[in-house]
C-alpha cells in the first residue's frame, strides 16, 4: 500500500512538474530555454515528484484527518496534464491550470483540517478575488460607444438616458466617477459595472448555497457565470446590465429565503423595496413578479404552522383564504383578524415597493436642469417609466409566429456554458424540483419569463444577448445544484470512498477555466484607446468657434465625452440626430443662420447644393466655393484634375498606426467620371507594399462629377498601415481610378517619403507557438484561419522574436501545398521585441485537412517543447471545406457569399412592409463585424426605404460566423408614405460601420465589379 501511495504521489507531482516546466518555457522561451528539452524539463518533473513523495511521508500519512484522503489530495496536480496533452500553446490556459492545481491541493487540505467557518470564508473570498481579477484586467480604460458612452456622459452630468432613464444606475455611477482612482472618468464609471458584476457572481454562489448546493459546486457555477461571454462583456464597460442582474439575484435570494426564516415578514418588506428600486434600473425586472407571488404563497403555506410568529402567519393564511374563496376556515372573528392582518401586510409591502420606485422622481426633478428649464410633462414621464421607446420591438406573438427565435435563444444559451452547462443545469433543475418544489417554481418562473421576453423582443446584439442574462444567471444556479447532484451520486456509487470525493468538482473546474481562457481575448478591452485618440485628434483640428458638429451614433461618443468629461472645446455644438431627414433639415437650418457646420456622418446628394471640404475626419459644408488651399503644389491627373497641395501629418509613423494626409484638388474642367482616390506605399524597388481601398473624395460625399473648376476641394484620408510592414522608408503615392477598375486618370503622383518605424504596441498573437531555429530566431506564434474554401486567398501571419546577435537577413518559407517566401532583415527590425510578418497564399483546390508548415532557409528548427530537430515546423491543419463558388452565388470580397435572395412580397403598396429573405454563408472566419444593408430603389432612382442591421435579425455579428455556416436572414422594410409607385430594385450589401467602406462584389477572377447586389421584381402600387 505504501508503495502505491508513493507511486501515485510521484506520478501526480511529476505531471505537475512537467506541466510547470512547459509553462515556464512557453512564457519566456529565451529565459527558460533550458526547460524546452532533456534534461531541463525532466529535472523539473523529477523535482516535483520528490516534493510530492516527501509531503506524503512527512505531512499526510502522519496526519489522522489527511491520511484517508491521501490520494484525493494529489489529484488536483493532474489538472495541468491538459498542458502536456494539448499541442497548442496557451499562456492563459497554462496559468489557470497551474493555479487551479495548487489551489485545489490547498483547498482540499484546508477543508479537511480547518473549521467549516474558515472553509466558507476561503471559498467566498477566493471567488471575489478571481472574479475581480478577470474583470479588472480586462476593463475598458476610457470612453465606449453607443449605450456605454451614453451612460458615461449621463453619469458625469447627472443626465437622463434613453429608454427608461435608468436613474439608479446613473446615480451609483456618478458616485464611482468621483473616486480617486484610474486615469479617466470613463474608467471609473466602467469600474461600477465590474463591481456590480462581482456582486452578481457572489449571488449565484449564495443562492446556490441556500439551495444546498455544495461549496465547490456553487463556487464553480458562480465563476462560470462570471466568465460567460455575454456577462463578462458587459462587466468591463459602463452598462446597466450587471447592476440589473445583481438586483435580480438579490430579489431571488430573498424570495427563496423567506420560506425558512423567522424574519420572513421583514424580509418581504425588503423584497418589496428592492423590487420597486430595481425597476428604476431596468423595467424587465417586472418579469420577476410571478416569482415574488410564488414566494409569498410559499411563505403563507410554510409558516402558518410554524410556532415562530404563529399568530401573524396563521391570521394571514385565514385572510388569504377569505379573500380568495370567500369561505371561513375559522370562526368569524378569526377570519376578520386574518383579513385585516393580510390587508395590513399587503399595504406595507406596497408602501415599501413605492418607496423603492420613488427614485423615478429623479427624472422630473432633473429634467429642467438638462433641458433649458423645460418642465417634464406627465406624458414624457409616462414615456420613460412605461418603456414606450422599446415597445415597437416587442412582438408577443413571436413564440408561435416566428419559430426561428427558439434557435436563436438556444444558441445564445449554448454560447455561455456549452452542452456541459445545458445538461448539468437540466439535472440540477430536476433535482431542485424534487427537493424544494417552491424554489424550483420560483426559479423556473423567472427563467421562463425572461426567456419568453427574449423570444419576443427584436433588438440587435449586443443588447439582445444582454436581455437573456437573467436566464443565464438562473441556469448557473441550476448548474451548481446539478454538479452537487452528480457529486452525490458518484459518492454513493463509490460507497463514499474518500479518494473520489473531490473528483467531480475537479473535472467541473474545467468549465469556468476553459471559459476564462477562451473568452478573455474576445472581451478584453484593457488596451482599447481607439475612440479616445480619435476624439482628441478631431477636437484638436482648427474647427471654427461655436460651430456645430452633426455626428453619427459612433463619432458622437468620443467627441461629446471629451467635451463633457474634460471640457475640451465647450464652444462646439455636438449633436446626434435620429435619421437622415432630420440631419438634412438641421444642416439646412443652421447654414441658413450662418453657423459653420461640420458633418461627422454620411449624407447623400449634398454635392447637388453645397460645396464640401474635409477637416480631418469631419466634412465642412459650405454654401460658396473654396478658393483657399494648402501650400502650392502643381501636379495634373490627365486633363481633368490637378493636385494643388497636400499635407502629411508626420513623415514618420509606426507600422501599427496610420498616415494622415490632406489634399487640395481642383478640377481643370468638369470631370467626366466619378473617380476614386487611391493611396499606396512603394518600396525602393518600385513594388507596391500596401494600398488602401479607393474611395469617393471627401468622406464619400463629394464625387468628382460634382466638382467645379473654380472650387478648391480639401480632402482627407487616414491610410491604415499593417504591423507586418517592414520598417523602412517608403514613397507615398496618390492616384485617381475608376470604380471597380484598374484604369486610372493619368499617372500616379509621388508625394513625400514616409519613414515607417516598428510598431509601438506588442502584437496580439492569436495562436502562440514556440519554435527555435538554428540562426537564433524564435517563432513565437501565428495567426491563420482554421478553415477556408477551396482556391480562396488566405494570409498567414507569423510572429518572431529576434535576438541581439542576429544581423543577417534570412528567408522564411510558408507552405500549404505550395510555398511562398518572405524575407526578414534583422538590421531593420527591433531586437528582443516581437515582430510580425505576413505571407499570402492560395488555398488548395481539394477539400480536406492540409498541413501548413514554416521553415527558415538553411536552418533546422526545434518546433516546440521537447521537440526533435526538423527542417520545417508544422503549423495548424487548415481545413479546406465546401465547394468553389458557383456563378449563381454572389461573392462579397471572399468574406461573405449571398446564396439566395428572395422578395417575399413582390407586390406592395405605399406604407406597407416589404419582406426580403436572404441566405448567407461565411467564406472565412472574420474579425470585423460588418453591417448588412437592404435598400429599396424607386423608379426615380432614389432611395425609398432601407434597413441597416446585424445579420440573423440583429443577433449574429459576422465575427461570430463559422466557415460555411449557413445564415438565414429576414428583413422588413417599410415603404414611406411619400414613395412613388412603380417598379423598384432591391439592393443588398455589406459595409464596415467605422469607415463606411463596403465589401466589393467580385467575379470568379477576383476582380471587383460592384459594391452591392441588385435584384428587380418589386412592384409598388
Amino acid at each position: 500500500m505504501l508503495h502505491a501511495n508513493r507511486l501515485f504521489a510521484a506520478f501526480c507531482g511529476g505531471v505537475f512538474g512537467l506541466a510547470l516546466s512547459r509553462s515556464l518555457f512557453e512564457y519566456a522561451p529565451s529565459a527558460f530555454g533550458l526547460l524546452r528539452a532533456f534534461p531541463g524539463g525532466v529535472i523539473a518533473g523529477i523535482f516535483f515528484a520528490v516534493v510530492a513523495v516527501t509531503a506524503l511521508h512527512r505531512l499526510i500519512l502522519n496526519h489522522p484527518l489527511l491520511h484517508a484522503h491521501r490520494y484525493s489530495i494529489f489529484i488536483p496536480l493532474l489538472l495541468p496534464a491538459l498542458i502536456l496533452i494539448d499541442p497548442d500553446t496557451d499562456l492563459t490556459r497554462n496559468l489557470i491550470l497551474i493555479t487551479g492545481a495548487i489551489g485545489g491541493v490547498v483547498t482540499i487540505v484546508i477543508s479537511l483540517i480547518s473549521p467549516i467557518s474558515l472553509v466558507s470564508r476561503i471559498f467566498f473570498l477566493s471567488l471575489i478575488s478571481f472574479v475581480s481579477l478577470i474583470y479588472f484586467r480586462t476593463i475598458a480604460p476610457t470612453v465606449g460607444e453607443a449605450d456605454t458612452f451614453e451612460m458615461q456622459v449621463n453619469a458625469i452630468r447627472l443626465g437622463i438616458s434613453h429608454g427608461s432613464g435608468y436613474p439608479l444606475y446613473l446615480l451609483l455611477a456618478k458616485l464611482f466617477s468621483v473616486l480617486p482612482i484610474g486615469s479617466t472618468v470613463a474608467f471609473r464609471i466602467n469600474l461600477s459595472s465590474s463591481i456590480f458584476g462581482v456582486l452578481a457572481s457572489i449571488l449565484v454562489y449564495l443562492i446556490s448555497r441556500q439551495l444546498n448546493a455544495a461549496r465547490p459546486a456553487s463556487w464553480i457555477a458562480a465563476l462560470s457565470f462570471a466568465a460567460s461571454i455575454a456577462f463578462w462583456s458587459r462587466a468591463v464597460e459602463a452598462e446597466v446590465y450587471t447592476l440589473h442582474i445583481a438586483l435580480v439575484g438579490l430579489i431571488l435570494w430573498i424570495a427563496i429565503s423567506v420560506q425558512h426564516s423567522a424574519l420572513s415578514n421583514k424580509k418581504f418588506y425588503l423584497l418589496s423595496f428592492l423590487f420597486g428600486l430595481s425597476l428604476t434600473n431596468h423595467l424587465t425586472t417586472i418579469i420577476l413578479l410571478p416569482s415574488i407571488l410564488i414566494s409569498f404563497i410559499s411563505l403563507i403555506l410554510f409558516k402558518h404552522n410554524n410556532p415562530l410568529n404563529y399568530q401573524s402567519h396563521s391570521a394571514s393564511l385565514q385572510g388569504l383564504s377569505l379573500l380568495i374563496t370567500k369561505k371561513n376556515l375559522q370562526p368569524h372573528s378569526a377570519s376578520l383578524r386574518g383579513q385585516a392582518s393580510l390587508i395590513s401586510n399587503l399595504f406595507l409591502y406596497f408602501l415599501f415597493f413605492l418607496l423603492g420606485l420613488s427614485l423615478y422622481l429623479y427624472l422630473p426633478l432633473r429634467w429642467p436642469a438638462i433641458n433649458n428649464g423645460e418642465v417634464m410633462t406627465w406624458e414624457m414621464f409616462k414615456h420613460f417609466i412605461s418603456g414606450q421607446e422599446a415597445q415597437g420591438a416587442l412582438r408577443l406573438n413571436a413564440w408561435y409566429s416566428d419559430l426561428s427565435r427558439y434557435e436563436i435563444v438556444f444558441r445564445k444559451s449554448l454560447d455561455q456554458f456549452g452542452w456541459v452547462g445545458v445538461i448539468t443545469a437540466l439535472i440540477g433543475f430536476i433535482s431542485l424540483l424534487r427537493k424544494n418544489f417552491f424554489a424550483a417554481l420560483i426559479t423556473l418562473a423567472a427563467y421562463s419569463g425572461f426567456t419568453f421576453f427574449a423570444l419576443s423582443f427584436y433588438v440587435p446584439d449586443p443588447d439582445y444577448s444582454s436581455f437573456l442574462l437573467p436566464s443565464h444567471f438562473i441556469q448557473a444556479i441550476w448548474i451548481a445544484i446539478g454538479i452537487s447532484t452528480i457529486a452525490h451520486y458518484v459518492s454513493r456509487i463509490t460507497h463514499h470512498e474518500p479518494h473520489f470525493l473531490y473528483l467531480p468538482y475537479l473535472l467541473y473546474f474545467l468549465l469556468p477555466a476553459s471559459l476564462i481562457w477562451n473568452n478573455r481575448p474576445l472581451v478584453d478591452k484593457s488596451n482599447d484607446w481607439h475612440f479616445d485618440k480619435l476624439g482628441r485628434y478631431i477636437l484638436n483640428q482648427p474647427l471654427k468657434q461655436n460651430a456645430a458638429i452633426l455626428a453619427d451614433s459612433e463619432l458622437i461618443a468620443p467627441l461629446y465625452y471629451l467635451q463633457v468629461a474634460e471640457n475640451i472645446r465647450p464652444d462646439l455644438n455636438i449633436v446626434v440626430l435620429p435619421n437622415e431627414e432630420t440631419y438634412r433639415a438641421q444642416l439646412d437650418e443652421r447654414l441658413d443662420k450662418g453657423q459653420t457646420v461640420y458633418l461627422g456622418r454620411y449624407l447623400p446628394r449634398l454635392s447637388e447644393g453645397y460645396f464640401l471640404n474635409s477637416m480631418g475626419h469631419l466634412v465642412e459644408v459650405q454654401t460658396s466655393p473654396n478658393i483657399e488651399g494648402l501650400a502650392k503644389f502643381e501636379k495634373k491627373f490627365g486633363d481633368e484634375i490637378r493636385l494643388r497641395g497636400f499635407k502629411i501629418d508626420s513623415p514618420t509613423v509606426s507600422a501599427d498606426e496610420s498616415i494622415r494626409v490632406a489634399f487640395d484638388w481642383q478640377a481643370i474642367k468638369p470631370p467626366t467620371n466619378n473617380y476614386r482616390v487611391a493611396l499606396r506605399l512603394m518600396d525602393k524597388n518600385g513594388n507596391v507594399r500596401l494600398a488602401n481601398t479607393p474611395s469617393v473624395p471627401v468622406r464619400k460625399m463629394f464625387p468628382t462629377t460634382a466638382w467645379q473648376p473654380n472650387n478648391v476641394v480639401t480632402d482627407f484620408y487616414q491610410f491604415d498601415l499593417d504591423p507586418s510592414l517592414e520598417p523602412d522608408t517608403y514613397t507615398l503615392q496618390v492616384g485617381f481610378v475608376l470604380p471597380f477598375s484598374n484604369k486610372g486618370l493619368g499617372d500616379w503622383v509621388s508625394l513625400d517619403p514616409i519613414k515607417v518605424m516598428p510598431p509601438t504596441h506588442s502584437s496580439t498573437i492569436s495562436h502562440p507557438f514556440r519554435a527555435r531555429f538554428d540562426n537564433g530566431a524564435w517563432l513565437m506564434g501565428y495567426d491563420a484561419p482554421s478553415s477556408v474554401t477551396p482556391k480562396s486567398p488566405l494570409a498567414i501571419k507569423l510572429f518572431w522574436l529576434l535576438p541581439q546577435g542576429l544581423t543577417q537577413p534570412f528567408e522564411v518559407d510558408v507552405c500549404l501545398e505550395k510555398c511562398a517566401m518572405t524575407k526578414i532583415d534583422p538590421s531593420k527590425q527591433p531586437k528582443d521585441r516581437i515582430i510580425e510578418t505576413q505571407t499570402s497564399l492560395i488555398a488548395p483546390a481539394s477539400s480536406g485537412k492540409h498541413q501548413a508548415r514554416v521553415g527558415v532557409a538553411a536552418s533546422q528548427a526545434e518546433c516546440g517543447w521537447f521537440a526533435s530537430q526538423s527542417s520545417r515546423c508544422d503549423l495548424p491543419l487548415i481545413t479546406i471545406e465546401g465547394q468553389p463558388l458557383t456563378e449563381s452565388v454572389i461573392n462579397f470580397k471572399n468574406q461573405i457569399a449571398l446564396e439566395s435572395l428572395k422578395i417575399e412580397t413582390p407586390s406592395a403598396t405605399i406604407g406597407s412592409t416589404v419582406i426580403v429573405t436572404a441566405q448567407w454563408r461565411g467564406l472565412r472566419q472574420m474579425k470585423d463585424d460588418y453591417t448588412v444593408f437592404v435598400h429599396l430603389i424607386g423608379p426615380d432612382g432614389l432611395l425609398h426605404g432601407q434597413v441597416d442591421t446585424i445579420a440573423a435579425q440583429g443577433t449574429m455579428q459576422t465575427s461570430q460566423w463559422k466557415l460555411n455556416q449557413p445564415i438565414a436572414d429576414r428583413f422588413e422594410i417599410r415603404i414611406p408614405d411619400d414613395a412613388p409607385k412603380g417598379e423598384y430594385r432591391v439592393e443588398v450589401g455589406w459595409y464596415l460601420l467605422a469607415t463606411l467602406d463596403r465589401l466589393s462584389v467580385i467575379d470568379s477572377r477576383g476582380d471587383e465589379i460592384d459594391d452591392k447586389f441588385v435584384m428587380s421584381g418589386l412592384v409598388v402600387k
Side-chain angles (χ1 to χ4, degrees):
M1 178 64 72
L2 183 60
H3 184 64
N5 293 339
R6 290 174 178 173
L7 282 177
F8 186 74
F11 175 73
C12 294
V15 168
F16 178 81
L18 288 172
L20 180 62
S21 169
R22 178 178 174 179
S23 300
L24 290 173
F25 161 68
E26 291 178 343
Y27 174 72
S30 57
F32 296 101
L34 292 176
L35 298 179
R36 75 178 185 271
F38 182 85
V42 175
I43 291 174
I46 295 173
F47 172 77
F48 280 97
V50 172
V51 170
V53 172
T54 304
L56 174 72
H57 274 279
R58 295 192 176 182
L59 300 176
I60 297 173
L61 294 181
N62 295 326
H63 197 290
L65 296 177
L66 299 181
H67 183 274
H69 297 268
R70 58 192 177 278
Y71 289 112
S72 58
I73 289 173
F74 289 106
I75 288 178
L77 296 179
L78 297 178
L79 276 175
L82 184 61
I83 299 173
L84 304 178
I85 297 171
D86 190 350
D88 292 336
T89 298
D90 190 325
L91 302 183
T92 304
R93 177 205 61 195
N94 294 356
L95 176 62
I96 292 171
L97 292 178
I98 294 293
T99 304
I102 297 171
V105 171
V106 172
T107 301
I108 291 174
V109 171
I110 292 177
S111 299
L112 294 172
I113 66 175
S114 302
I116 293 297
S117 59
L118 176 61
V119 175
S120 297
R121 286 197 294 271
I122 288 175
F123 274 102
F124 188 76
L125 294 176
S126 63
L127 175 65
I128 295 175
S129 301
F130 270 99
V131 178
S132 299
L133 178 64
I134 65 173
Y135 287 171
F136 297 164
R137 288 296 298 267
T138 54
I139 191 172
T142 185
V143 63
E145 53 186 323
D147 293 353
T148 295
F149 140 75
E150 183 185 6
M151 295 299 171
Q152 289 168 334
V153 296
N154 279 329
I156 295 169
R157 68 189 190 110
L158 284 179
I160 296 173
S161 294
H162 76 288
S164 60
Y166 307 107
L168 178 59
Y169 177 80
L170 293 178
L171 289 170
L172 292 174
K174 177 64 176 180
L175 295 178
F176 276 87
S177 72
V178 298
L179 294 176
I181 56 174
S183 59
T184 67
V185 179
F187 168 82
R188 297 192 282 274
I189 297 173
N190 294 339
L191 180 63
S192 68
S193 291
S194 297
I195 296 298
F196 299 141
V198 173
L199 176 59
S201 303
I202 292 171
L203 284 161
V204 172
Y205 178 84
L206 293 177
I207 295 174
S208 301
R209 290 290 298 136
Q210 187 179 53
L211 296 175
N212 295 319
R215 289 183 185 84
S218 303
W219 189 94
I220 289 168
L223 185 59
S224 298
F225 177 71
S228 61
I229 184 71
F231 191 72
W232 192 351
S233 64
R234 288 314 208 180
V236 296
E237 61 184 9
E239 262 293 3
V240 300
Y241 296 108
T242 56
L243 176 59
H244 174 49
I245 302 306
L247 290 169
V248 167
L250 277 171
I251 291 171
L252 289 175
W253 185 36
I254 297 172
I256 294 171
S257 70
V258 296
Q259 300 177 19
H260 309 288
S261 173
L263 302 174
S264 297
N265 234 25
K266 293 182 180 179
K267 284 190 175 183
F268 235 88
Y269 296 148
L270 176 60
L271 182 109
S272 301
F273 172 76
L274 285 174
F275 185 47
L277 185 67
S278 64
L279 289 172
T280 68
N281 178 69
H282 209 279
L283 290 175
T284 58
T285 312
I286 194 69
I287 295 172
L288 287 177
L289 185 58
S291 296
I292 295 173
L293 293 176
I294 294 171
S295 175
F296 179 71
I297 293 171
S298 70
L299 165 68
I300 300 299
L301 294 178
F302 276 94
K303 291 296 185 178
H304 80 280
N305 286 325
N306 193 327
L308 294 172
N309 206 17
Y310 171 84
Q311 292 181 345
S312 172
H313 291 290
S314 179
S316 296
L317 179 66
Q318 299 301 321
L320 181 64
S321 171
L322 180 64
L323 289 177
I324 296 176
T325 68
K326 304 299 183 182
K327 295 180 180 179
N328 293 334
L329 297 183
Q330 292 187 3
H332 180 66
S333 59
S335 298
L336 290 177
R337 288 197 304 273
Q339 182 178 2
S341 175
L342 177 64
I343 293 174
S344 174
N345 283 335
L346 290 175
F347 180 70
L348 288 174
Y349 298 154
F350 184 65
L351 285 181
F352 276 95
F353 169 76
L354 289 180
L355 180 62
L357 195 64
S358 66
L359 191 63
Y360 258 129
L361 293 175
Y362 167 90
L363 301 185
L365 292 174
R366 188 62 186 158
W367 186 266
I370 59 175
N371 287 280
N372 301 316
E374 177 187 358
V375 176
M376 175 177 274
T377 65
W378 165 249
E379 288 300 321
M380 291 179 183
F381 185 64
K382 188 171 68 172
H383 174 85
F384 279 100
I385 65 173
S386 62
Q388 290 181 11
E389 179 182 295
Q391 288 179 8
L394 188 63
R395 305 180 191 177
L396 295 178
N397 64 344
W399 66 276
Y400 65 84
S401 64
D402 188 357
L403 299 183
S404 66
R405 303 292 290 179
Y406 288 93
E407 185 275 331
I408 293 172
V409 169
F410 182 74
R411 169 167 48 84
K412 291 296 181 182
S413 177
L414 208 59
D415 288 344
Q416 309 312 309
F417 309 110
W419 281 105
V420 171
V422 171
I423 295 171
T424 307
L426 183 60
I427 294 172
F429 173 72
I430 294 172
S431 176
L432 182 62
L433 195 63
R434 294 174 56 192
K435 296 177 180 179
N436 191 331
F437 179 74
F438 273 102
L441 280 186
I442 289 170
T443 55
L444 179 62
Y447 182 88
S448 302
F450 285 109
T451 303
F452 177 81
F453 181 82
L455 283 172
S456 310
F457 202 52
Y458 286 70
V459 292
D461 262 339
D463 285 331
Y464 180 76
S465 295
S466 301
F467 286 109
L468 276 166
L469 286 176
S471 299
H472 304 328
F473 178 89
I474 296 165
Q475 184 183 353
I477 296 169
W478 291 343
I479 287 174
I481 300 170
I483 295 173
S484 290
T485 302
I486 292 170
H488 173 72
Y489 278 103
V490 169
S491 179
R492 284 182 57 184
I493 292 170
T494 59
H495 304 290
H496 306 288
E497 173 62 46
H499 303 318
F500 297 97
L501 184 62
Y502 300 99
L503 184 59
Y505 303 124
L506 291 171
L507 293 176
Y508 265 103
F509 171 76
L510 294 176
L511 175 60
S514 61
L515 289 175
I516 293 173
W517 74 62
N518 287 324
N519 291 339
R520 181 179 177 271
L522 304 177
V523 303
D524 188 3
K525 295 188 176 183
S526 57
N527 292 315
D528 188 1
W529 290 90
H530 168 71
F531 277 114
D532 185 87
K533 292 178 179 179
L534 175 63
R536 294 180 190 278
Y537 181 81
I538 292 174
L539 294 179
N540 283 332
Q541 298 297 308
L543 305 176
K544 296 177 182 177
Q545 285 288 318
N546 302 312
I549 299 178
L550 306 185
D552 63 13
S553 58
E554 185 172 283
L555 195 58
I556 186 71
L559 301 182
Y560 193 61
Y561 165 78
L562 290 171
Q563 189 181 62
V564 172
E566 301 186 19
N567 201 35
I568 298 176
R569 292 302 304 265
D571 61 292
L572 297 175
N573 184 209
I574 306 172
V575 297
V576 63
L577 299 168
N579 52 53
E580 191 175 287
E581 292 76 16
T582 311
Y583 275 100
R584 186 59 187 258
Q586 278 281 308
L587 174 68
D588 295 339
E589 180 182 339
R590 290 172 183 269
L591 289 175
D592 287 343
K593 293 180 179 179
Q595 186 180 25
T596 301
V597 177
Y598 299 100
L599 277 178
R601 63 150 292 159
Y602 174 81
L603 279 182
R605 301 187 299 277
L606 283 181
S607 59
E608 296 173 4
Y610 294 112
F611 298 91
L612 308 177
N613 291 282
S614 293
M615 178 61 73
H617 293 268
L618 304 178
V619 173
E620 182 177 358
V621 184
Q622 298 175 326
T623 56
S624 58
N626 177 35
I627 58 174
E628 298 180 357
L630 301 168
K632 297 297 182 183
F633 181 89
E634 186 73 20
K635 288 289 183 179
K636 292 183 179 181
F637 295 89
D639 59 353
E640 297 184 38
I641 298 173
R642 68 162 57 96
L643 173 60
R644 288 190 42 175
F646 69 92
K647 180 182 179 183
I648 299 173
D649 270 12
S650 174
T652 302
V653 62
S654 300
D656 56 349
E657 295 180 344
S658 305
I659 300 172
R660 294 186 174 116
V661 54
F663 298 99
D664 274 350
W665 312 112
Q666 188 172 22
I668 300 172
K669 64 179 182 179
T672 55
N673 290 293
N674 280 326
Y675 297 104
R676 299 188 177 187
V677 178
L679 298 171
R680 65 186 189 184
L681 278 184
M682 307 293 293
D683 64 17
K684 296 175 182 177
N685 298 321
N687 300 314
V688 178
R689 296 299 302 271
L690 199 63
N692 75 333
T693 300
S695 176
V696 175
V698 192
R699 310 294 290 176
K700 309 183 190 301
M701 286 187 278
F702 206 5
T704 54
T705 52
W707 291 7
Q708 299 178 12
N710 64 336
N711 180 43
V712 176
V713 178
T714 301
D715 200 7
F716 172 85
Y717 294 90
Q718 179 170 297
F719 186 8
D720 296 330
L721 301 184
D722 190 319
S724 64
L725 187 64
E726 185 178 60
D728 205 344
T729 299
Y730 299 88
T731 300
L732 180 64
Q733 291 187 339
V734 62
F736 282 89
V737 297
L738 289 169
F740 317 115
S741 170
N742 293 323
K743 296 180 179 180
L745 177 64
D747 296 325
W748 289 81
V749 171
S750 295
L751 306 176
D752 291 344
I754 301 294
K755 186 176 182 180
V756 176
M757 304 296 290
T760 55
H761 300 97
S762 299
S763 300
T764 300
I765 305 176
S766 58
H767 298 92
F769 181 74
R770 302 294 185 258
R772 185 183 184 278
F773 292 87
D774 284 348
N775 67 345
W778 282 93
L779 177 61
M780 301 297 288
Y782 60 88
D783 186 359
S786 60
S787 51
V788 293
T789 53
K791 295 185 177 180
S792 63
L794 65 97
I796 295 180
K797 290 184 177 181
L798 300 176
F799 300 89
W800 300 87
L801 181 64
L802 307 180
Q804 287 286 349
L806 183 60
T807 57
Q808 293 299 315
F810 59 95
E811 295 178 350
V812 177
D813 287 325
V814 181
C815 304
L816 184 68
E817 193 175 76
K818 295 183 179 180
C819 296
M821 187 270 290
T822 301
K823 189 174 182 179
I824 299 178
D825 187 350
S827 64
K828 298 179 179 180
Q829 301 285 1
K831 301 300 189 293
D832 294 326
R833 277 188 56 187
I834 293 177
I835 66 166
E836 181 178 333
T837 63
Q838 178 170 301
T839 304
S840 297
L841 300 166
I842 299 296
S846 59
S847 297
K849 295 184 180 297
H850 293 255
Q851 182 70 64
R853 292 184 172 88
V854 60
V856 172
S859 184
Q860 294 289 302
E862 294 178 8
C863 308
W865 185 69
F866 268 67
S868 58
Q869 285 198 339
S870 61
S871 60
R872 284 192 174 96
C873 291
D874 288 347
L875 291 180
L877 285 170
I878 296 179
T879 302
I880 312 298
E881 56 180 295
Q883 299 295 326
L885 298 181
T886 62
E887 292 185 1
S888 62
V889 175
I890 308 305
N891 184 347
F892 287 94
K893 208 169 185 178
N894 288 315
Q895 304 277 342
I896 298 169
L898 173 61
E899 297 185 319
S900 67
L901 185 72
K902 183 179 180 181
I903 304 172
E904 302 288 349
T905 52
S907 179
T909 58
I910 302 298
S912 66
T913 298
V914 174
I915 298 175
V916 177
T917 58
Q919 180 83 14
W920 311 104
R921 179 159 59 93
L923 299 179
R924 62 181 65 244
Q925 291 176 308
M926 291 169 275
K927 293 184 178 180
D928 293 317
D929 290 318
Y930 292 98
T931 299
V932 58
F933 67 84
V934 181
H935 293 168
L936 303 183
I937 307 299
D940 55 358
L942 300 179
L943 180 67
H944 297 286
Q946 71 181 87
V947 168
D948 294 67
T949 185
I950 297 168
Q953 301 179 52
T955 66
M956 201 164 188
Q957 295 167 320
T958 53
S959 59
Q960 300 172 353
W961 292 18
K962 298 176 182 178
L963 178 71
N964 286 319
Q965 178 183 6
I967 307 292
D969 225 338
R970 174 187 170 97
F971 308 96
E972 297 181 4
I973 312 102
R974 185 181 181 277
I975 302 174
D977 295 334
D978 58 352
K981 298 178 181 180
E983 295 185 357
Y984 278 63
R985 305 190 312 274
V986 175
E987 295 181 351
V988 297
W990 294 85
Y991 65 90
L992 193 62
L993 182 60
T995 62
L996 296 180
D997 288 334
R998 291 186 178 184
L999 287 179
S1000 301
V1001 176
I1002 61 176
D1003 60 18
S1004 58
R1005 299 185 304 273
D1007 296 332
E1008 297 181 349
I1009 56 176
D1010 209 332
D1011 58 4
K1012 60 188 175 298
F1013 173 70
V1014 182
M1015 170 182 276
S1016 58
L1018 173 63
V1019 177
V1020 176
K1021 300 177 181 179

